[in-house]
Amino acid sequence: MSETKKTLVNAMNGKASRRSVLKAAAAVGVAAPFAAGMLQGGIQSAAAGEDGLAALDLSGLNLSKDYDGQEISVILGADGPAVAWEEALVAKFTEATGIKVNVVRGPESATERLAQYQQLLGAQATDVDAMMIDVIWPGILAPHALDLTAAMDANGQYFERIVANNTVDGTLVGIPWYTDAGLLYWRSDLVEKYGLGQPETWADLEAAAKTIMEGERAENPDFQGFVWQGAAYEGLTCDALEWQVSNGGGHIIEPDGTVSINNPSAIDAFNRAKSWVGTISPEGVTTYKEEDARGVWQDGNAAFMRNWPYAWSLAQADDSVIKGKVGVGLLPKGDGPDAQNAATLGGWQMMASKYSEHPEAAIEFCRFLTSEPVQRAHAIDWSRLPTIEALYDDAAVLEAQPFFGELKPVFLGGAVPRPSTVSADLYNDVSTAYFTAVNEIITGQADAAERVAALETELKDIMAEL
Ligand code: GLC
């Protein structure tokens, strides 16, 4: 080990002076604030290129062995690149507790996933013990959830905003696992090649996407300007909310219950998105979910992409054709007077089912998955945003994911929530009405102004049922 690295490791073990740490950190390119983080303690392993899962330290969690031999089923993410990692993580839980975990894969679409959960929970099925739930669902799933207040890792300072979001009538329906915020990804190599910068407005993005696309198509006829999520499902609600908020078009339903959708800035924002289809974006974008967009992007066939933070780690993987050629930052603003950058707030929590026959084991699993050490590994290996603030100052996390530091204000509270608190158990009706209307607009089946007026009536009717 080099002297420099030794000093950093000593720092993490509390054995080096502040001065020597900052010097050593500078020598390996760790910025001073991150190095200072190492001095605050709590960081247990080497900073440079750390493997989050290998470094996972569960010793502080005191996982219980009382449920040794029990078997639980847990619904986690869709089938995808993270499966092997999750299986290895779950094996560590089994090793520590003796609880056998059968991991069930859920649908990629949040909309389909909710339908599946409602069917299972509505039937009071005992064969699923715990599941990951979307940040917009606590109000819908609360009747089926065990209270997890006592299980939330007392060592972690979880984001209060998300804990409040997940608390329904005093019950903690889900422990925050990771949060999400919509981001713009761009091909830094191509932005540079064409003498462009990071787009600040949607008009900038359109112009840049067009320039790069036209240039690249000379050699690659499949090349696209901008890919995003346009299918009629929850993901489109997220993208479309960003378009309208960034254009000063309100939040669909405001926190006081006012249905605010029918306004010119929102209508303009939808018309703008419609103009992308078949120009800078493929016709097929109106059927895309996250992984469809990322597939085009990851193959090196798009200049810009809207997606969640997970796409960063995958782009930077050793076998990625776009490794080292990717920039990430805020989504653009619109052009009106109230224009602003907007990122929809997403994210997932762990819920334990009220119908579980092994509630203690299920709760222990939720506690494990959402704990600080697991969130740290998830952040390092998969660029999943932690829900524990201290991890945004963790040197190894920041080294793996430098954009966590840059975008910290967005991740720590600046992201825009969907109107799920105000619509409570009717949120899915609200979102379905919204994404259906927006999808009809962007596919050219409906005129934006007329369709938004009809949507306003639909949303008012839904809210009247509350
Ligand atoms: C991401 C977000 C989630 C959102 C979903 C939509 O998984 O974390 O909140 O509902 O995308 O596709």
Side-chain angles (χ1 to χ4, degrees), residues 175 187 441:
I175 309 177
R187 284 285 299 277
I441 295 168

Side-chain angles (χ1 to χ4, degrees), residues 10 33 268 380:
N10 283 341
D268 287 350
I380 292 171

Side-chain angles (χ1 to χ4, degrees), residues 63-74 89-102 129 358-366 368:
L63 287 165
S64 173
K65 289 217 180 274
D66 292 354
Y67 317 110
D68 190 352
Q70 292 192 8
E71 189 170 340
I72 56 171
S73 290
V74 180
L89 177 70
V90 168
K92 293 194 185 240
F93 173 77
T94 301
E95 194 186 307
T97 60
I99 299 168
K100 214 176 148 233
V101 183
N102 169 28
D129 301 280
H358 306 288
E360 293 92 352
I363 291 175
E364 198 62 356
F365 184 78
C366 294
F368 158 78

Side-chain angles (χ1 to χ4, degrees), residues 110 134-136 178 180 233-235 238 290 308 345-348 418:
D134 203 325
V135 69
I136 49 189
Y178 61 87
D180 254 342
Y233 79 120
E234 188 61 39
C238 299
E290 284 82 358
W308 305 103
L345 174 72
W348 293 83
R418 284 160 275 175

